[in-house]
Amino acid sequence: MRRLMTIAILMFLVVAQSPEAWAWHDETHVAIARVAGYRKWFNATGADMIKVKAHGIEKANHFVNNSRGRVVSAEMVMRQVGAYNQTGDPNGHLYGAIVAAIRDYLRVKKTGKYGEYHLAFAAHYIGDLSQPLHNTAYNDFNREHHSAMDGIVNDEVLGNLNHIRIYDIVIASEQDLTREIVRIANLSMILGYRLQDEKRLLTRQEAYTQLSHSASLFRAVLRYVGQ
């Protein structure tokens, strides 16, 4: 019994030390999906839920450890697509996961089967895209502040959906999708390193601005896939 408890504690510590152990908390992901107009908004937390059972497969889909000064590019996004759901990627492949999940949805939908879960994964990953610390190196600052950053507006967000502002994004091709992933990733990464330099958390206004990027992108994705 003591041995089992020791193993359980060690497993908890491994998960807690991993950058993929967190994302925007549940209510925040749900809020993004609801504002975007996703009729299955309640599935938006699923990608975090599955990490409890399939940690090794799912974990690297939620982050990219970008070093300071890196510029995310379309080529970088497309290189990550093939790594979707693969283990052993310490630097993560969030950007490619967004593209791959949407591809999976369109592929399954074309066969007439139920593909909504793939779109729900995309909803979650697009939410993660705007969390600044999912786009920066998992260093001491990231480890110390990651969970607090994830929950910065979580307790209030469902009562303040009007603070998440949709702006127009047009996606007519995978190239357009990749362009928008690149734009939001670079904005989020720059903000993440500014927070690190200023040794602070997001302000509420900054948090809602970031959530607006994710919600606007996901609404455009919904239109792109015919929802």
Side-chain angles (χ1 to χ4, degrees):
M1 183 68 174
R2 182 176 297 173
R3 182 172 180 271
L4 289 175
M5 289 184 65
T6 301
I7 292 171
I9 291 169
L10 288 173
M11 288 178 67
F12 170 80
L13 289 173
V14 168
V15 173
Q17 293 296 321
S18 302
E20 66 281 2
W22 304 301
W24 295 120
H25 294 328
D26 289 357
E27 285 82 355
T28 307
H29 273 289
V30 165
I32 291 169
R34 286 181 62 176
V35 172
Y38 185 34
R39 60 191 178 89
K40 300 282 188 177
W41 50 265
F42 44 82
N43 284 336
T45 62
D48 273 349
M49 291 174 65
I50 199 173
K51 283 190 291 185
V52 176
K53 296 268 187 176
H55 185 65
I57 293 174
E58 179 62 22
K59 62 181 181 179
N61 294 331
H62 295 246
F63 68 95
V64 177
N65 289 333
N66 290 309
S67 58
R68 185 188 290 268
R70 172 178 284 172
V71 177
V72 178
S73 66
E75 292 74 21
M76 177 181 173
V77 174
M78 298 312 294
R79 283 197 303 269
Q80 292 182 7
V81 174
Y84 185 45
N85 290 336
Q86 290 187 8
T87 61
D89 180 3
N91 292 316
H93 41 255
L94 165 63
Y95 313 144
I98 296 171
V99 176
I102 293 169
R103 281 184 181 179
D104 282 350
Y105 171 73
L106 292 172
R107 173 182 54 80
V108 173
K109 180 184 176 184
K110 191 174 181 180
T111 68
K113 296 180 180 178
Y114 189 77
E116 282 295 330
Y117 296 137
H118 296 293
L119 192 57
F121 278 109
H124 189 96
Y125 302 147
I126 290 171
D128 285 347
L129 181 64
S130 67
Q131 211 283 37
L133 300 189
H134 278 251
N135 296 274
T136 60
Y138 194 58
N139 53 23
D140 290 343
F141 177 84
N142 199 323
R143 276 187 288 274
E144 181 179 353
H145 298 288
H146 201 124
S147 186
M149 205 84 76
D150 285 334
I152 202 76
V153 294
N154 195 68
D155 291 343
E156 65 173 64
V157 68
L158 291 177
N160 291 286
L161 295 179
N162 61 309
H163 291 356
I164 302 176
R165 305 295 179 87
I166 296 290
Y167 58 86
D168 193 39
I169 295 175
V170 177
I171 296 176
S173 66
E174 193 171 271
Q175 183 177 9
D176 293 340
L177 171 63
T178 302
R179 181 195 66 233
E180 291 302 320
I181 292 170
V182 167
R183 180 180 65 84
I184 296 172
N186 281 312
L187 287 172
S188 300
M189 178 175 56
I190 290 168
L191 176 57
Y193 280 113
R194 184 162 76 244
L195 295 173
Q196 179 176 316
D197 291 342
E198 296 173 3
K199 298 180 175 59
R200 65 176 179 87
L201 298 177
L202 286 164
T203 65
R204 290 176 66 258
Q205 181 176 351
E206 287 170 332
Y208 282 113
T209 296
Q210 292 304 110
L211 300 182
S212 297
H213 292 317
S214 287
S216 298
L217 177 55
F218 190 49
R219 175 168 288 187
V221 165
L222 291 172
R223 291 173 177 166
Y224 171 59
V225 302
Q227 288 210 14

